[in-house]
Amino acid sequence: MALLPIITAPDPRLKQVADPVDRVDDEVRQLMDDMLATMYVAPGIGLAAPQVGALKRVIVVDISRPEEGRPPAPLQMANPEIVEVSDEDITWNEGCLSVPEHYADVVRPAGCRVRYLDREGEIREIKAEGVLAVCLQHEIDHLDGILFIDHVSALKRNMILRKLLKEKKAAEREEKDEAVF
Ligand code: GNR
Ligand code: NI
């Protein structure tokens, strides 16, 4: 298992539409396992392959918070698709490992049904509500190049993106200075 670096916004790779996997083979399973390990260490409750630079339709989710001592309940999905959403909405204060240290209220359908391939390549379906429904929709958004900040006002989004870009440039400058000394 390997820990993978997580890409942060702004980055063009986070805006691309990911490719479906043809079949769930050992390479996809390896990616799923590396993503899960990376997600637990971060820590996060979900992770999508584009966040680690793999433009494949693969996500992992675990809302059980194993870092808080609960038994892990990992979900590993290839080609996840939302096949049904509820009429009611839910507002959740979302965060994202690719948008570090920023949070915003996002309105989404409160429930959803997701069809996907499991790590054996079997077609499965899961019905989700609450934080699981939020997380699945957040991860599937990543596969279509959509971040939670794309669901908030342009004013708030641009404020966040400007701040992240500034921090990136500062970090780059620091790296360069270290190279000199
Ligand atoms: O760890 C995460 N927490 C979270 C909280 C509210 C709504 C969505 C999420 S997903 C996020 C991890 C992440 O960035 N997944 O793409
Ligand atoms: Ni995210």
Side-chain angles (χ1 to χ4, degrees):
M1 267 206 255
L3 296 182
L4 309 167
I6 296 175
I7 295 167
T8 59
D11 189 301
R13 288 170 290 180
L14 295 172
K15 307 232 68 180
Q16 282 182 266
V17 177
D19 296 319
V21 305
D22 292 330
R23 63 188 194 94
V24 183
D25 55 14
D26 286 345
E27 196 185 317
V28 171
R29 275 187 287 271
Q30 184 67 58
L31 174 64
M32 287 171 161
D33 291 344
D34 290 346
M35 285 171 57
L36 207 57
T38 302
M39 183 194 82
Y40 286 138
V41 168
I45 58 170
L47 191 68
Q51 293 180 275
V52 293
L55 286 177
K56 290 183 183 167
R57 301 190 80 82
V58 171
I59 65 172
V60 298
V61 169
D62 190 340
I63 58 159
S64 74
R65 297 267 183 170
E67 82 277 6
E68 284 173 18
R70 269 173 276 238
L75 286 167
Q76 298 178 309
M77 303 182 172
N79 300 345
E81 273 179 79
I82 295 168
V83 292
E84 199 189 332
V85 294
S86 63
D87 293 330
E88 317 93 271
D89 286 339
I90 188 173
T91 302
W92 204 274
N93 193 248
E94 296 196 19
C96 181
L97 295 170
S98 296
V99 187
E101 286 160 48
H102 293 274
Y103 302 86
D105 283 351
V106 175
V107 182
R108 301 183 186 272
C112 63
R113 190 189 294 276
V114 175
R115 188 173 299 155
Y116 65 98
L117 300 177
D118 68 13
R119 59 178 290 127
E120 267 67 59
E122 301 285 341
I123 297 182
R124 287 183 177 272
E125 237 177 65
I126 187 177
K127 215 180 135 184
E129 53 186 33
V131 63
L132 182 58
V134 169
C135 189
L136 286 168
Q137 292 175 73
H138 175 116
E139 302 315 333
I140 292 168
D141 264 357
H142 274 299
L143 304 182
D144 292 318
I146 296 165
L147 300 175
F148 80 89
I149 51 174
D150 294 317
H151 293 286
V152 307
S153 74
L155 183 71
K156 174 137 199 181
R157 174 169 59 252
N158 290 331
M159 230 167 60
I160 292 171
L161 285 172
R162 268 199 302 272
K163 191 141 187 269
L164 289 172
L165 183 60
K166 219 171 158 182
E167 284 162 3
K168 257 188 192 186
K169 283 183 173 163
E172 268 169 38
R173 273 198 304 274
E174 210 158 294
E175 253 170 61
K176 244 190 259 161
D177 290 348
E178 273 164 23
V180 173
F181 295 112

